[in-house]
């Protein structure tokens, strides 16, 4: 099986993904890391030098490269859902999609605390519009949803594990 974590920027996909993979003895992959490795530069640098369109092309290639993987937890970039080809690739080979849903208020607080630079979260009102639009897509593509507001990382991971209990070691 492969577990694909989707959700808005700052929803905890990477932190949850690392812990979930550890508990399931699965590999862990972060698509932002793979995009960054493919371009040999950071995500903000890709946006700055080559623009969002190029970044999205790289994201499609990364999703394609993960089609055949199994026993893996994949944390995706928040925009992976805007191209349904990416979701098609990622869900090949028994992919199960888990949406980590958080309120925009919670997300804003988390993003403000993180050192990560996010090209699409520079203006809060622009990010809110993106959040409202994307929320529908995340829900549409998910097999399961965990509402993470008021939950600790450990609680989210435990809840995710109960969803995939059959594979727990
Ligand atoms: C993006 C989310 C980012 C990263 C890029 C674009 C988006 O990943 O892929 O900055 O479009 O929502 P995170 O969701 O891990 O922050």
């Amino acid at each position: 099986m492969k577990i694909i974590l989707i959700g808005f920027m700052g929803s905890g996909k990477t932190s949850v993904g690392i812990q979930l993979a550890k508990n399931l003895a699965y590999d862990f992959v972060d698509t932002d890391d793979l995009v960054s490795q493919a371009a040999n530069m950071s995500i903000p640098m890709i946006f700055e030098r080559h623009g969002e369109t190029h970044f999205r092309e790289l994201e499609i290639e990364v999703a394609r490269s993960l089609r055949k993987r199994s026993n893996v937890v994949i944390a995706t970039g928040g925009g992976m859902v805007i191209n349904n080809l990416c979701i098609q690739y990622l869900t090949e080979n028994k992919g199960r999609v888990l949406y980590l849903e958080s309120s925009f208020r919670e997300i804003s607080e988390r993003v403000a605390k993180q050192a990560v630079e996010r090209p699409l979260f520079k203006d809060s009102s622009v990010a809110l519009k993106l959040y409202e639009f994307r929320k529908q897509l995340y829900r549409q593509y998910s097999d399961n949803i965990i509402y993470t507001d008021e939950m600790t990382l450990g609680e989210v991971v435990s809840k995710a594990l109960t969803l995939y209990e059959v594979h727990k070691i």
Side-chain angles (χ1 to χ4, degrees):
M1 187 170 71
K2 103 207 239 225
I3 299 170
I4 299 115
L5 298 177
I6 63 169
F8 204 63
M9 293 172 264
S11 59
K13 293 160 291 185
T14 303
S15 317
V16 171
I18 291 170
Q19 293 303 320
L20 190 57
K22 213 180 245 175
N23 276 277
L24 294 165
Y26 278 13
D27 295 333
F28 172 74
V29 167
D30 187 312
T31 63
D32 279 344
D33 288 346
L34 296 183
V35 167
S36 186
Q37 278 166 27
N40 204 21
M41 65 182 89
S42 68
I43 306 285
M45 193 71 89
I46 301 172
F47 272 75
E48 199 183 306
R49 291 208 186 149
H50 304 291
E52 183 174 347
T53 308
H54 182 63
F55 172 80
R56 299 298 171 201
E57 285 164 5
L58 294 173
E59 253 189 343
I60 295 171
E61 273 317 298
V62 163
R64 208 165 79 88
S65 74
L66 295 169
R67 321 196 293 288
K68 303 282 178 241
R69 290 288 294 267
S70 61
N71 292 355
V72 63
V73 177
I74 303 171
T76 60
M80 200 56 107
V81 290
I82 63 179
N83 188 330
N84 73 2
L85 191 58
C86 289
I87 297 295
Q88 269 179 46
Y89 285 145
L90 290 171
T91 52
E92 255 184 57
N93 209 18
K94 297 190 193 147
R96 299 270 305 271
V97 180
L98 173 59
Y99 170 28
L100 300 182
E101 182 163 344
S102 318
S103 65
F104 188 72
R105 181 189 47 78
E106 178 94 15
I107 279 176
S108 301
E109 282 172 17
R110 286 196 212 139
V111 165
K113 280 186 210 146
Q114 292 171 351
V116 188
E117 196 190 325
R118 292 184 163 97
L120 299 180
F121 212 115
K122 287 191 171 142
D123 177 324
S124 189
S125 60
V126 174
L128 175 59
K129 284 197 188 106
L130 202 57
Y131 170 87
E132 291 298 343
F133 171 70
R134 295 255 187 94
K135 199 159 72 174
Q136 315 307 321
L137 294 175
Y138 298 133
R139 286 182 179 168
Q140 178 190 327
Y141 286 124
S142 57
D143 298 303
N144 297 98
I145 301 177
I146 298 178
Y147 297 93
T148 70
D149 279 19
E150 322 295 340
M151 284 174 87
T152 64
L153 171 61
E155 287 167 344
V156 177
V157 173
S158 294
K159 191 150 192 189
L161 282 168
T162 61
L163 293 171
Y164 306 109
E165 199 171 26
V166 89
H167 296 273
K168 193 176 171 183
I169 53 162

